PDB file of all heavy atoms in Angstrom:
ATOM      1  N   THR A   1       0.834  -1.196   0.000  1.00 85.00           N
ATOM      2  CA  THR A   1       0.000   0.000   0.000  1.00 85.00           C
ATOM      3  C   THR A   1       0.876   1.255   0.000  1.00 85.00           C
ATOM      4  O   THR A   1       1.825   1.364   0.775  1.00 85.00           O
ATOM      5  CB  THR A   1      -0.896   0.014   1.252  1.00 85.00           C
ATOM      6  OG1 THR A   1      -1.688  -1.171   1.272  1.00 85.00           O
ATOM      7  CG2 THR A   1      -1.790   1.231   1.271  1.00 85.00           C
ATOM      8  N   GLY A   2       0.552   2.181  -0.899  1.00 85.00           N
ATOM      9  CA  GLY A   2       1.279   3.440  -0.948  1.00 85.00           C
ATOM     10  C   GLY A   2       2.665   3.350  -1.532  1.00 85.00           C
ATOM     11  O   GLY A   2       3.467   4.281  -1.375  1.00 85.00           O
ATOM     12  N   ALA A   3       2.979   2.244  -2.226  1.00 88.00           N
ATOM     13  CA  ALA A   3       4.325   2.091  -2.799  1.00 88.00           C
ATOM     14  C   ALA A   3       4.511   2.929  -4.054  1.00 88.00           C
ATOM     15  O   ALA A   3       5.644   3.131  -4.501  1.00 88.00           O
ATOM     16  CB  ALA A   3       4.603   0.624  -3.106  1.00 88.00           C
ATOM     17  N   GLY A   4       3.423   3.390  -4.646  1.00 90.00           N
ATOM     18  CA  GLY A   4       3.532   4.202  -5.851  1.00 90.00           C
ATOM     19  C   GLY A   4       3.442   3.403  -7.130  1.00 90.00           C
ATOM     20  O   GLY A   4       4.033   3.782  -8.152  1.00 90.00           O
ATOM     21  N   LYS A   5       2.700   2.302  -7.112  1.00 91.00           N
ATOM     22  CA  LYS A   5       2.580   1.449  -8.303  1.00 91.00           C
ATOM     23  C   LYS A   5       1.944   2.197  -9.469  1.00 91.00           C
ATOM     24  O   LYS A   5       2.463   2.188 -10.589  1.00 91.00           O
ATOM     25  CB  LYS A   5       1.755   0.197  -7.967  1.00 91.00           C
ATOM     26  CG  LYS A   5       2.347  -0.670  -6.871  1.00 91.00           C
ATOM     27  CD  LYS A   5       1.514  -1.904  -6.609  1.00 91.00           C
ATOM     28  CE  LYS A   5       0.126  -1.585  -6.110  1.00 91.00           C
ATOM     29  NZ  LYS A   5       0.134  -0.885  -4.812  1.00 91.00           N
ATOM     30  N   SER A   6       0.800   2.817  -9.199  1.00 91.00           N
ATOM     31  CA  SER A   6       0.098   3.524 -10.277  1.00 91.00           C
ATOM     32  C   SER A   6       0.923   4.691 -10.796  1.00 91.00           C
ATOM     33  O   SER A   6       0.968   4.945 -12.011  1.00 91.00           O
ATOM     34  CB  SER A   6      -1.265   4.025  -9.778  1.00 91.00           C
ATOM     35  OG  SER A   6      -2.094   2.938  -9.425  1.00 91.00           O
ATOM     36  N   THR A   7       1.577   5.406  -9.888  1.00 92.00           N
ATOM     37  CA  THR A   7       2.433   6.513 -10.318  1.00 92.00           C
ATOM     38  C   THR A   7       3.565   6.006 -11.200  1.00 92.00           C
ATOM     39  O   THR A   7       3.903   6.628 -12.223  1.00 92.00           O
ATOM     40  CB  THR A   7       3.015   7.234  -9.094  1.00 92.00           C
ATOM     41  OG1 THR A   7       1.939   7.772  -8.316  1.00 92.00           O
ATOM     42  CG2 THR A   7       3.944   8.355  -9.506  1.00 92.00           C
ATOM     43  N   LEU A   8       4.150   4.875 -10.846  1.00 94.00           N
ATOM     44  CA  LEU A   8       5.226   4.299 -11.656  1.00 94.00           C
ATOM     45  C   LEU A   8       4.709   3.906 -13.037  1.00 94.00           C
ATOM     46  O   LEU A   8       5.347   4.208 -14.059  1.00 94.00           O
ATOM     47  CB  LEU A   8       5.809   3.079 -10.941  1.00 94.00           C
ATOM     48  CG  LEU A   8       6.900   2.326 -11.712  1.00 94.00           C
ATOM     49  CD1 LEU A   8       8.127   3.213 -11.912  1.00 94.00           C
ATOM     50  CD2 LEU A   8       7.281   1.036 -10.989  1.00 94.00           C
ATOM     51  N   VAL A   9       3.554   3.241 -13.086  1.00 93.00           N
ATOM     52  CA  VAL A   9       2.994   2.820 -14.379  1.00 93.00           C
ATOM     53  C   VAL A   9       2.710   4.039 -15.244  1.00 93.00           C
ATOM     54  O   VAL A   9       3.070   4.080 -16.438  1.00 93.00           O
ATOM     55  CB  VAL A   9       1.715   1.984 -14.163  1.00 93.00           C
ATOM     56  CG1 VAL A   9       1.001   1.734 -15.497  1.00 93.00           C
ATOM     57  CG2 VAL A   9       2.054   0.652 -13.499  1.00 93.00           C
ATOM     58  N   ASN A  10       2.055   5.040 -14.681  1.00 93.00           N
ATOM     59  CA  ASN A  10       1.755   6.242 -15.455  1.00 93.00           C
ATOM     60  C   ASN A  10       3.030   6.929 -15.935  1.00 93.00           C
ATOM     61  O   ASN A  10       3.101   7.422 -17.073  1.00 93.00           O
ATOM     62  CB  ASN A  10       0.942   7.223 -14.607  1.00 93.00           C
ATOM     63  CG  ASN A  10      -0.458   6.710 -14.320  1.00 93.00           C
ATOM     64  OD1 ASN A  10      -0.979   5.884 -15.060  1.00 93.00           O
ATOM     65  ND2 ASN A  10      -1.057   7.190 -13.240  1.00 93.00           N
ATOM     66  N   SER A  11       4.060   6.946 -15.086  1.00 94.00           N
ATOM     67  CA  SER A  11       5.316   7.601 -15.440  1.00 94.00           C
ATOM     68  C   SER A  11       6.021   6.845 -16.553  1.00 94.00           C
ATOM     69  O   SER A  11       6.667   7.442 -17.427  1.00 94.00           O
ATOM     70  CB  SER A  11       6.222   7.697 -14.208  1.00 94.00           C
ATOM     71  OG  SER A  11       5.601   8.454 -13.185  1.00 94.00           O
ATOM     72  N   LEU A  12       5.939   5.529 -16.546  1.00 94.00           N
ATOM     73  CA  LEU A  12       6.546   4.721 -17.611  1.00 94.00           C
ATOM     74  C   LEU A  12       5.826   4.924 -18.939  1.00 94.00           C
ATOM     75  O   LEU A  12       6.449   4.928 -20.001  1.00 94.00           O
ATOM     76  CB  LEU A  12       6.501   3.239 -17.233  1.00 94.00           C
ATOM     77  CG  LEU A  12       7.427   2.794 -16.089  1.00 94.00           C
ATOM     78  CD1 LEU A  12       7.091   1.373 -15.665  1.00 94.00           C
ATOM     79  CD2 LEU A  12       8.893   2.888 -16.521  1.00 94.00           C
ATOM     80  N   LEU A  13       4.504   5.099 -18.878  1.00 93.00           N
ATOM     81  CA  LEU A  13       3.716   5.232 -20.099  1.00 93.00           C
ATOM     82  C   LEU A  13       3.678   6.667 -20.607  1.00 93.00           C
ATOM     83  O   LEU A  13       3.400   6.897 -21.796  1.00 93.00           O
ATOM     84  CB  LEU A  13       2.289   4.743 -19.841  1.00 93.00           C
ATOM     85  CG  LEU A  13       2.156   3.261 -19.462  1.00 93.00           C
ATOM     86  CD1 LEU A  13       0.749   2.967 -18.989  1.00 93.00           C
ATOM     87  CD2 LEU A  13       2.516   2.369 -20.646  1.00 93.00           C
ATOM     88  N   GLY A  14       3.920   7.615 -19.722  1.00 91.00           N
ATOM     89  CA  GLY A  14       3.826   9.007 -20.130  1.00 91.00           C
ATOM     90  C   GLY A  14       2.399   9.481 -20.250  1.00 91.00           C
ATOM     91  O   GLY A  14       2.110  10.474 -20.925  1.00 91.00           O
ATOM     92  N   ALA A  15       1.489   8.799 -19.600  1.00 90.00           N
ATOM     93  CA  ALA A  15       0.074   9.169 -19.629  1.00 90.00           C
ATOM     94  C   ALA A  15      -0.572   8.644 -18.352  1.00 90.00           C
ATOM     95  O   ALA A  15      -0.260   7.535 -17.911  1.00 90.00           O
ATOM     96  CB  ALA A  15      -0.628   8.590 -20.856  1.00 90.00           C
ATOM     97  N   PRO A  16      -1.462   9.433 -17.751  1.00 87.00           N
ATOM     98  CA  PRO A  16      -2.110   9.014 -16.493  1.00 87.00           C
ATOM     99  C   PRO A  16      -3.205   7.985 -16.726  1.00 87.00           C
ATOM    100  O   PRO A  16      -4.382   8.223 -16.457  1.00 87.00           O
ATOM    101  CB  PRO A  16      -2.666  10.329 -15.946  1.00 87.00           C
ATOM    102  CG  PRO A  16      -2.954  11.143 -17.164  1.00 87.00           C
ATOM    103  CD  PRO A  16      -1.888  10.792 -18.165  1.00 87.00           C
ATOM    104  N   LEU A  17      -2.849   6.804 -17.213  1.00 86.00           N
ATOM    105  CA  LEU A  17      -3.847   5.787 -17.544  1.00 86.00           C
ATOM    106  C   LEU A  17      -4.474   5.151 -16.313  1.00 86.00           C
ATOM    107  O   LEU A  17      -5.572   4.608 -16.384  1.00 86.00           O
ATOM    108  CB  LEU A  17      -3.211   4.697 -18.416  1.00 86.00           C
ATOM    109  CG  LEU A  17      -2.749   5.150 -19.803  1.00 86.00           C
ATOM    110  CD1 LEU A  17      -2.136   3.992 -20.558  1.00 86.00           C
ATOM    111  CD2 LEU A  17      -3.925   5.711 -20.586  1.00 86.00           C
ATOM    112  N   THR A  18      -3.794   5.149 -15.219  1.00 81.00           N
ATOM    113  CA  THR A  18      -4.369   4.530 -14.017  1.00 81.00           C
ATOM    114  C   THR A  18      -4.677   5.562 -12.951  1.00 81.00           C
ATOM    115  O   THR A  18      -4.833   5.225 -11.797  1.00 81.00           O
ATOM    116  CB  THR A  18      -3.404   3.477 -13.439  1.00 81.00           C
ATOM    117  OG1 THR A  18      -2.217   4.134 -12.974  1.00 81.00           O
ATOM    118  CG2 THR A  18      -3.037   2.446 -14.471  1.00 81.00           C
ATOM    119  N   ARG A  19      -4.750   6.811 -13.347  1.00 59.00           N
ATOM    120  CA  ARG A  19      -5.007   7.882 -12.383  1.00 59.00           C
ATOM    121  C   ARG A  19      -6.478   7.912 -11.985  1.00 59.00           C
ATOM    122  O   ARG A  19      -7.358   7.941 -12.845  1.00 59.00           O
ATOM    123  CB  ARG A  19      -4.629   9.220 -13.009  1.00 59.00           C
ATOM    124  CG  ARG A  19      -4.816  10.418 -12.087  1.00 59.00           C
ATOM    125  CD  ARG A  19      -4.393  11.683 -12.813  1.00 59.00           C
ATOM    126  NE  ARG A  19      -4.641  12.867 -12.004  1.00 59.00           N
ATOM    127  CZ  ARG A  19      -4.412  14.107 -12.437  1.00 59.00           C
ATOM    128  NH1 ARG A  19      -3.937  14.300 -13.644  1.00 59.00           N
ATOM    129  NH2 ARG A  19      -4.658  15.133 -11.656  1.00 59.00           N
ATOM    130  N   PRO A  20      -6.794   7.901 -10.698  1.00 46.00           N
ATOM    131  CA  PRO A  20      -8.197   7.951 -10.279  1.00 46.00           C
ATOM    132  C   PRO A  20      -8.894   9.175 -10.844  1.00 46.00           C
ATOM    133  O   PRO A  20      -8.385  10.287 -10.754  1.00 46.00           O
ATOM    134  CB  PRO A  20      -8.115   8.016  -8.747  1.00 46.00           C
ATOM    135  CG  PRO A  20      -6.783   7.403  -8.420  1.00 46.00           C
ATOM    136  CD  PRO A  20      -5.879   7.819  -9.555  1.00 46.00           C
ATOM    137  N   GLY A  21     -10.049   8.934 -11.429  1.00 38.00           N
ATOM    138  CA  GLY A  21     -10.841  10.043 -11.947  1.00 38.00           C
ATOM    139  C   GLY A  21     -10.555  10.367 -13.396  1.00 38.00           C
ATOM    140  O   GLY A  21     -11.336  11.027 -14.038  1.00 38.00           O
ATOM    141  N   VAL A  22      -9.417   9.898 -13.943  1.00 42.00           N
ATOM    142  CA  VAL A  22      -9.095  10.191 -15.334  1.00 42.00           C
ATOM    143  C   VAL A  22      -9.742   9.171 -16.253  1.00 42.00           C
ATOM    144  O   VAL A  22     -10.189   9.482 -17.342  1.00 42.00           O
ATOM    145  CB  VAL A  22      -7.566  10.212 -15.525  1.00 42.00           C
ATOM    146  CG1 VAL A  22      -7.200  10.383 -16.984  1.00 42.00           C
ATOM    147  CG2 VAL A  22      -6.972  11.343 -14.691  1.00 42.00           C
ATOM    148  N   LEU A  23      -9.789   7.929 -15.808  1.00 42.00           N
ATOM    149  CA  LEU A  23     -10.432   6.891 -16.603  1.00 42.00           C
ATOM    150  C   LEU A  23     -11.904   6.807 -16.222  1.00 42.00           C
ATOM    151  O   LEU A  23     -12.288   7.093 -15.107  1.00 42.00           O
ATOM    152  CB  LEU A  23      -9.753   5.544 -16.349  1.00 42.00           C
ATOM    153  CG  LEU A  23      -8.286   5.445 -16.786  1.00 42.00           C
ATOM    154  CD1 LEU A  23      -7.749   4.080 -16.424  1.00 42.00           C
ATOM    155  CD2 LEU A  23      -8.152   5.677 -18.276  1.00 42.00           C
ATOM    156  N   ARG A  24     -12.711   6.418 -17.203  1.00 36.00           N
ATOM    157  CA  ARG A  24     -14.134   6.195 -16.954  1.00 36.00           C
ATOM    158  C   ARG A  24     -14.428   4.726 -17.254  1.00 36.00           C
ATOM    159  O   ARG A  24     -14.187   4.271 -18.362  1.00 36.00           O
ATOM    160  CB  ARG A  24     -14.994   7.080 -17.876  1.00 36.00           C
ATOM    161  CG  ARG A  24     -14.692   8.562 -17.726  1.00 36.00           C
ATOM    162  CD  ARG A  24     -15.120   9.084 -16.359  1.00 36.00           C
ATOM    163  NE  ARG A  24     -14.949  10.515 -16.293  1.00 36.00           N
ATOM    164  CZ  ARG A  24     -13.865  11.100 -15.832  1.00 36.00           C
ATOM    165  NH1 ARG A  24     -12.856  10.385 -15.391  1.00 36.00           N
ATOM    166  NH2 ARG A  24     -13.780  12.405 -15.801  1.00 36.00           N
ATOM    167  N   PRO A  25     -14.911   3.948 -16.259  1.00 35.00           N
ATOM    168  CA  PRO A  25     -15.159   4.320 -14.876  1.00 35.00           C
ATOM    169  C   PRO A  25     -13.874   4.365 -14.064  1.00 35.00           C
ATOM    170  O   PRO A  25     -12.791   4.395 -14.616  1.00 35.00           O
ATOM    171  CB  PRO A  25     -16.088   3.202 -14.384  1.00 35.00           C
ATOM    172  CG  PRO A  25     -15.725   2.030 -15.211  1.00 35.00           C
ATOM    173  CD  PRO A  25     -15.310   2.572 -16.551  1.00 35.00           C
ATOM    174  N   THR A  26     -14.007   4.334 -12.748  1.00 38.00           N
ATOM    175  CA  THR A  26     -12.877   4.578 -11.868  1.00 38.00           C
ATOM    176  C   THR A  26     -11.847   3.465 -11.930  1.00 38.00           C
ATOM    177  O   THR A  26     -12.092   2.407 -12.476  1.00 38.00           O
ATOM    178  CB  THR A  26     -13.362   4.723 -10.426  1.00 38.00           C
ATOM    179  OG1 THR A  26     -13.858   3.466  -9.986  1.00 38.00           O
ATOM    180  CG2 THR A  26     -14.461   5.751 -10.313  1.00 38.00           C
ATOM    181  N   THR A  27     -10.671   3.699 -11.299  1.00 39.00           N
ATOM    182  CA  THR A  27      -9.558   2.765 -11.414  1.00 39.00           C
ATOM    183  C   THR A  27      -9.348   1.934 -10.159  1.00 39.00           C
ATOM    184  O   THR A  27      -8.246   1.507  -9.885  1.00 39.00           O
ATOM    185  CB  THR A  27      -8.265   3.533 -11.718  1.00 39.00           C
ATOM    186  OG1 THR A  27      -8.032   4.458 -10.664  1.00 39.00           O
ATOM    187  CG2 THR A  27      -8.344   4.230 -13.029  1.00 39.00           C
ATOM    188  N   ARG A  28     -10.385   1.761  -9.396  1.00 57.00           N
ATOM    189  CA  ARG A  28     -10.206   0.947  -8.200  1.00 57.00           C
ATOM    190  C   ARG A  28      -9.901  -0.506  -8.562  1.00 57.00           C
ATOM    191  O   ARG A  28      -9.193  -1.196  -7.853  1.00 57.00           O
ATOM    192  CB  ARG A  28     -11.473   1.015  -7.341  1.00 57.00           C
ATOM    193  CG  ARG A  28     -11.342   0.211  -6.050  1.00 57.00           C
ATOM    194  CD  ARG A  28     -12.511   0.441  -5.131  1.00 57.00           C
ATOM    195  NE  ARG A  28     -12.378  -0.330  -3.909  1.00 57.00           N
ATOM    196  CZ  ARG A  28     -13.243  -0.306  -2.921  1.00 57.00           C
ATOM    197  NH1 ARG A  28     -14.297   0.470  -3.007  1.00 57.00           N
ATOM    198  NH2 ARG A  28     -13.061  -1.035  -1.841  1.00 57.00           N
ATOM    199  N   SER A  29     -10.443  -0.983  -9.654  1.00 76.00           N
ATOM    200  CA  SER A  29     -10.169  -2.328 -10.119  1.00 76.00           C
ATOM    201  C   SER A  29      -8.850  -2.347 -10.888  1.00 76.00           C
ATOM    202  O   SER A  29      -8.344  -1.306 -11.304  1.00 76.00           O
ATOM    203  CB  SER A  29     -11.307  -2.818 -11.013  1.00 76.00           C
ATOM    204  OG  SER A  29     -12.461  -3.067 -10.242  1.00 76.00           O
ATOM    205  N   PRO A  30      -8.259  -3.523 -11.099  1.00 89.00           N
ATOM    206  CA  PRO A  30      -6.990  -3.606 -11.817  1.00 89.00           C
ATOM    207  C   PRO A  30      -7.103  -3.067 -13.242  1.00 89.00           C
ATOM    208  O   PRO A  30      -8.105  -3.283 -13.921  1.00 89.00           O
ATOM    209  CB  PRO A  30      -6.670  -5.103 -11.808  1.00 89.00           C
ATOM    210  CG  PRO A  30      -7.976  -5.777 -11.566  1.00 89.00           C
ATOM    211  CD  PRO A  30      -8.741  -4.850 -10.686  1.00 89.00           C
ATOM    212  N   VAL A  31      -6.056  -2.369 -13.660  1.00 92.00           N
ATOM    213  CA  VAL A  31      -6.022  -1.775 -14.995  1.00 92.00           C
ATOM    214  C   VAL A  31      -4.944  -2.474 -15.813  1.00 92.00           C
ATOM    215  O   VAL A  31      -3.797  -2.580 -15.376  1.00 92.00           O
ATOM    216  CB  VAL A  31      -5.735  -0.265 -14.924  1.00 92.00           C
ATOM    217  CG1 VAL A  31      -5.648   0.335 -16.321  1.00 92.00           C
ATOM    218  CG2 VAL A  31      -6.810   0.434 -14.100  1.00 92.00           C
ATOM    219  N   LEU A  32      -5.313  -2.968 -16.971  1.00 94.00           N
ATOM    220  CA  LEU A  32      -4.381  -3.676 -17.839  1.00 94.00           C
ATOM    221  C   LEU A  32      -4.117  -2.811 -19.069  1.00 94.00           C
ATOM    222  O   LEU A  32      -5.024  -2.568 -19.875  1.00 94.00           O
ATOM    223  CB  LEU A  32      -4.948  -5.035 -18.244  1.00 94.00           C
ATOM    224  CG  LEU A  32      -3.979  -6.005 -18.914  1.00 94.00           C
ATOM    225  CD1 LEU A  32      -4.383  -7.446 -18.607  1.00 94.00           C
ATOM    226  CD2 LEU A  32      -3.914  -5.823 -20.420  1.00 94.00           C
ATOM    227  N   VAL A  33      -2.875  -2.335 -19.202  1.00 94.00           N
ATOM    228  CA  VAL A  33      -2.484  -1.475 -20.323  1.00 94.00           C
ATOM    229  C   VAL A  33      -1.796  -2.340 -21.372  1.00 94.00           C
ATOM    230  O   VAL A  33      -0.855  -3.081 -21.063  1.00 94.00           O
ATOM    231  CB  VAL A  33      -1.535  -0.355 -19.853  1.00 94.00           C
ATOM    232  CG1 VAL A  33      -1.216   0.589 -21.004  1.00 94.00           C
ATOM    233  CG2 VAL A  33      -2.157   0.412 -18.689  1.00 94.00           C
ATOM    234  N   HIS A  34      -2.250  -2.238 -22.610  1.00 94.00           N
ATOM    235  CA  HIS A  34      -1.703  -3.070 -23.686  1.00 94.00           C
ATOM    236  C   HIS A  34      -1.700  -2.286 -24.992  1.00 94.00           C
ATOM    237  O   HIS A  34      -2.396  -1.266 -25.128  1.00 94.00           O
ATOM    238  CB  HIS A  34      -2.540  -4.344 -23.851  1.00 94.00           C
ATOM    239  CG  HIS A  34      -3.990  -4.062 -24.156  1.00 94.00           C
ATOM    240  ND1 HIS A  34      -4.458  -3.798 -25.426  1.00 94.00           N
ATOM    241  CD2 HIS A  34      -5.072  -3.970 -23.334  1.00 94.00           C
ATOM    242  CE1 HIS A  34      -5.759  -3.579 -25.394  1.00 94.00           C
ATOM    243  NE2 HIS A  34      -6.158  -3.663 -24.125  1.00 94.00           N
ATOM    244  N   HIS A  35      -0.928  -2.753 -25.935  1.00 94.00           N
ATOM    245  CA  HIS A  35      -0.940  -2.131 -27.263  1.00 94.00           C
ATOM    246  C   HIS A  35      -2.276  -2.456 -27.935  1.00 94.00           C
ATOM    247  O   HIS A  35      -2.821  -3.550 -27.740  1.00 94.00           O
ATOM    248  CB  HIS A  35       0.225  -2.667 -28.096  1.00 94.00           C
ATOM    249  CG  HIS A  35       0.437  -1.891 -29.367  1.00 94.00           C
ATOM    250  ND1 HIS A  35      -0.226  -2.195 -30.540  1.00 94.00           N
ATOM    251  CD2 HIS A  35       1.244  -0.823 -29.641  1.00 94.00           C
ATOM    252  CE1 HIS A  35       0.158  -1.351 -31.484  1.00 94.00           C
ATOM    253  NE2 HIS A  35       1.045  -0.507 -30.964  1.00 94.00           N
ATOM    254  N   PRO A  36      -2.836  -1.523 -28.710  1.00 94.00           N
ATOM    255  CA  PRO A  36      -4.135  -1.794 -29.355  1.00 94.00           C
ATOM    256  C   PRO A  36      -4.164  -3.081 -30.168  1.00 94.00           C
ATOM    257  O   PRO A  36      -5.197  -3.752 -30.236  1.00 94.00           O
ATOM    258  CB  PRO A  36      -4.342  -0.561 -30.242  1.00 94.00           C
ATOM    259  CG  PRO A  36      -3.589   0.530 -29.540  1.00 94.00           C
ATOM    260  CD  PRO A  36      -2.385  -0.128 -28.944  1.00 94.00           C
ATOM    261  N   SER A  37      -3.030  -3.453 -30.778  1.00 93.00           N
ATOM    262  CA  SER A  37      -3.018  -4.670 -31.587  1.00 93.00           C
ATOM    263  C   SER A  37      -3.147  -5.931 -30.745  1.00 93.00           C
ATOM    264  O   SER A  37      -3.470  -7.006 -31.270  1.00 93.00           O
ATOM    265  CB  SER A  37      -1.723  -4.738 -32.411  1.00 93.00           C
ATOM    266  OG  SER A  37      -0.592  -4.841 -31.548  1.00 93.00           O
ATOM    267  N   ASP A  38      -2.901  -5.828 -29.440  1.00 93.00           N
ATOM    268  CA  ASP A  38      -2.982  -7.001 -28.559  1.00 93.00           C
ATOM    269  C   ASP A  38      -4.337  -7.130 -27.869  1.00 93.00           C
ATOM    270  O   ASP A  38      -4.532  -8.045 -27.060  1.00 93.00           O
ATOM    271  CB  ASP A  38      -1.893  -6.924 -27.476  1.00 93.00           C
ATOM    272  CG  ASP A  38      -0.501  -7.134 -28.048  1.00 93.00           C
ATOM    273  OD1 ASP A  38      -0.387  -7.852 -29.055  1.00 93.00           O
ATOM    274  OD2 ASP A  38       0.465  -6.582 -27.476  1.00 93.00           O
ATOM    275  N   GLU A  39      -5.260  -6.242 -28.206  1.00 91.00           N
ATOM    276  CA  GLU A  39      -6.545  -6.258 -27.509  1.00 91.00           C
ATOM    277  C   GLU A  39      -7.284  -7.594 -27.617  1.00 91.00           C
ATOM    278  O   GLU A  39      -7.904  -8.038 -26.639  1.00 91.00           O
ATOM    279  CB  GLU A  39      -7.445  -5.125 -28.016  1.00 91.00           C
ATOM    280  CG  GLU A  39      -8.748  -5.013 -27.233  1.00 91.00           C
ATOM    281  CD  GLU A  39      -9.463  -3.699 -27.484  1.00 91.00           C
ATOM    282  OE1 GLU A  39      -9.015  -2.931 -28.359  1.00 91.00           O
ATOM    283  OE2 GLU A  39     -10.456  -3.424 -26.791  1.00 91.00           O
TER     284      GLU A  39
END
């Protein structure tokens, strides 16, 4: 808890993909980031 996982992921991607309130719906559940071709 509080280790900064989401901040690290967002920083690696250069976009706040797991930032609370930025995604619809919320990011309380696990977020899986992938290339569009791998969907």
Side-chain angles (χ1 to χ4, degrees):
T1 302
K5 300 182 297 297
S6 297
T7 299
L8 177 64
V9 171
N10 291 336
S11 300
L12 290 170
L13 297 170
L17 295 180
T18 66
R19 182 179 176 183
V22 175
L23 296 178
R24 303 292 186 267
T26 68
T27 59
R28 181 172 180 179
S29 289
V31 178
L32 192 150
V33 184
H34 58 83
H35 191 272
S37 64
D38 290 330
E39 185 165 7

